[in-house]
Amino acid sequence: MSLMADLTRWDGWLHLVSDDRSGHDLPRGPLGVVVYVPLALLFRYVPSRWRAAYLAGSSLLTALLTLGPGFALTLAGLAGLGLLLVRTCATGWRPAVGLIVLAAVYAGFLLFPRPPWLPPMDDPRLAEPTWFYLHWAGIGYLFLRMAHVQADVGRGLLPAPAAVDYFAYLLFPPTLRMGPIYRFGAFAQQLHGDLERGRSLPAAAGRLLAGFIRLGIMAALLKHAPLDRLYGEIDQLNRLSTDRFLAGIYIAPMTIYLWIGGYTDLAVGVGRIMGFTVPENFHYPWVATSIADFWRRWHLTLGAWLRDYIYIPLGGSRRHVTLNYLVTFLFCGLWHGTYPAMVLWGLSQGLGLAVWRVWNRFWTRQAERTTPLCRAARRLRLKDGPLGTALAWLLTFHYQILTINVILDERHAGRLMAGRLAELISLRG
């Protein structure tokens, strides 16, 4: 991919954009984390008392160079807001006020994705505004980290952090833009501990290489997959052959996995250069045999955040479980964006978990009573056997493939592809 420097006018961006039709904007997007590698190598020589200040300052410098001054100031300002709320809303009922303020500010970014103090995104090669602001520039993950500290300080699980540690945590360069979601306690312990024990340049190089391989595979898939037509207008979709239509449906979710997984590899690798153990974010999600198992493997740190700060406070598995699932994943969908496809995807995950829970409890009771139905299922290898496991995997895999396609089809929320699939099924029937 050829790149050119877009420095013909000073509009606050100072970034590199691609001159091809793909619209990729590598340094300004999440892959800008690689720009930090030279500063990560220098971190080794920073005295321990200056580590936090170095992390915060060098992160803002990288944001300035790859995102522009508007974004760098926005990230710094939001971090300052978080510190103010932690310090002023730390006890009694006030932590809830702090969380409400954070939610309101984030809702403002969702509803008004072109803040007036940021440069206008009038270049068609640049990323879509909401996606860029929230999930490429790091604003979405910044809010989750701020909410985590606000809630845990309010519950007495964390002491109020020192300002410099708080800024270093929120702006930690490897995880700033797309996670994983570090918890403050683990980060602070490593920051003030013996980082030499966790530092490994060979291991870091291996993870960086793994990240580039994943992203290379993703780029190859995108080059040959007809995704622009799959999620385009109905006439473009109908012109796709059946084979290319089905290939696109399977390839599209894999590109998301390779994209986030590749970024996680880069984040872990950059962290290892400095001695930090950045948490993992995936554990073979495509081998999951239930939707609950999928969420124990997919985007691990986000799933843990949703569990600890949404699902359990709502009542967890003690009461109103179906409602808790729906609200938790409705929040997850809205956190990604307000367009209908994201809301539908979030609700699909919550509903899927609720159905799985009913199904799982049904078969647990059947097994406890050793009912004829349970005995028949075991004889047919449908329960506690390879056939049942294979069917469970097949159902889980395709449920996630189809629901993730809804996200990507944000313009139509899956209507066009659902109609085409129904047509194919009826023809083969």
Side-chain angles (χ1 to χ4, degrees):
M1 180 182 299
S2 58
L3 297 174
M4 67 178 183
D6 185 13
L7 302 177
T8 57
R9 57 191 170 90
W10 178 257
D11 62 0
W13 287 110
L14 184 59
H15 62 277
L16 299 176
V17 298
S18 70
D19 59 0
D20 67 2
R21 299 177 60 189
S22 68
H24 295 132
D25 189 1
L26 299 183
R28 205 169 62 93
L31 294 187
V33 67
V34 180
V35 177
Y36 190 76
V37 168
L39 293 171
L41 291 168
L42 290 176
F43 179 76
R44 179 172 189 172
Y45 305 102
V46 175
S48 58
R49 65 181 181 278
W50 295 108
R51 286 175 180 171
Y54 179 88
L55 288 174
S58 60
S59 179
L60 289 175
L61 174 62
T62 305
L64 176 68
L65 294 176
T66 60
L67 299 172
F71 281 116
L73 290 173
T74 299
L75 293 171
L78 290 173
L81 171 66
L83 181 64
L84 176 65
L85 292 174
V86 166
R87 294 293 179 82
T88 59
C89 303
T91 58
W93 50 267
R94 288 179 292 180
V97 174
L99 292 171
I100 291 172
V101 171
L102 289 177
V105 174
Y106 190 67
F109 278 98
L110 284 171
L111 298 173
F112 305 100
R114 296 176 185 263
W117 65 89
L118 290 177
M121 300 189 69
D122 54 3
D123 190 328
R125 295 168 299 178
L126 303 183
E128 190 272 331
T130 299
W131 177 257
F132 180 83
Y133 292 147
L134 301 184
H135 298 289
W136 281 40
I139 292 175
Y141 287 92
L142 193 74
F143 272 92
L144 294 185
R145 290 192 291 271
M146 288 193 292
H148 143 61
V149 175
Q150 182 74 47
D152 282 7
V153 169
R155 292 187 294 183
L157 301 177
L158 282 175
V164 67
D165 288 356
Y166 184 75
F167 276 92
Y169 167 68
L170 292 183
L171 302 172
F172 184 57
T175 62
L176 173 63
R177 303 193 186 190
M178 285 177 58
I181 305 170
Y182 240 141
R183 298 296 175 98
F184 179 81
F187 170 81
Q189 184 179 15
Q190 293 177 35
L191 176 67
H192 296 291
D194 182 10
L195 288 175
E196 211 46 58
R197 294 174 56 187
R199 184 178 289 116
S200 172
L201 292 182
R207 288 307 292 264
L208 291 173
L209 178 61
F212 284 121
I213 290 174
R214 285 200 211 216
L215 295 170
I217 295 172
M218 180 202 72
L221 290 175
L222 287 175
K223 183 177 180 180
H224 298 287
L227 300 188
D228 56 335
R229 295 168 65 185
L230 187 66
Y231 304 112
E233 299 297 337
I234 185 65
D235 58 334
Q236 296 176 311
L237 181 64
N238 285 333
R239 284 200 299 269
L240 281 177
S241 67
T242 299
D243 291 342
R244 287 177 64 78
F245 170 74
L246 293 175
I249 285 180
Y250 283 96
I251 287 173
M254 296 303 162
T255 62
I256 291 183
Y257 167 66
L258 291 168
W259 174 237
I260 305 175
Y263 177 86
T264 299
D265 286 329
L266 298 181
V268 171
V270 174
R272 290 301 296 272
I273 292 174
M274 296 185 286
F276 289 90
T277 304
V278 174
E280 298 289 346
N281 232 4
F282 294 94
H283 183 63
Y284 306 108
W286 299 113
V287 303
T289 56
S290 71
I291 190 169
D293 187 29
F294 182 85
W295 276 99
R296 288 191 289 266
R297 298 171 176 274
W298 175 273
H299 219 315
L300 301 174
T301 58
L302 175 60
W305 192 99
L306 292 170
R307 179 197 65 211
D308 294 342
Y309 299 104
I310 304 292
Y311 179 71
I312 291 177
L314 287 174
S317 300
R318 302 185 304 277
R319 60 182 183 275
H320 311 304
V321 179
T322 297
L323 180 62
N324 296 342
Y325 281 141
L326 292 174
V327 172
T328 298
F329 280 93
L330 176 62
F331 173 90
C332 182
L334 289 172
W335 174 73
H336 282 86
T338 55
Y339 44 88
M342 277 298 178
V343 175
L344 287 175
W345 170 79
L347 291 174
S348 75
Q349 299 303 299
L351 182 61
L353 283 165
V355 171
W356 167 83
R357 184 172 184 269
V358 171
W359 180 256
N360 188 55
R361 295 181 71 182
F362 169 78
W363 279 106
T364 298
R365 290 193 297 269
Q366 294 292 311
E368 289 172 349
R369 300 170 186 170
T370 318
T371 63
L373 179 61
C374 182
R375 292 195 298 271
R378 282 176 173 156
R379 283 195 302 272
L380 296 172
R381 306 290 184 179
L382 293 174
K383 181 171 175 56
D384 303 328
L387 179 58
T389 300
L391 290 174
W393 169 79
L394 197 64
L395 179 61
T396 302
F397 179 79
H398 283 91
Y399 187 79
Q400 295 301 342
I401 289 291
L402 293 176
T403 55
I404 290 174
N405 269 284
V406 169
I407 302 176
L408 297 169
D409 188 28
E410 62 181 80
R411 181 182 302 174
H412 306 288
R415 287 186 296 108
L416 297 182
M417 287 188 294
R420 182 71 186 273
L421 280 172
E423 179 184 344
L424 289 174
I425 293 171
S426 65
L427 288 175
R428 298 198 173 190

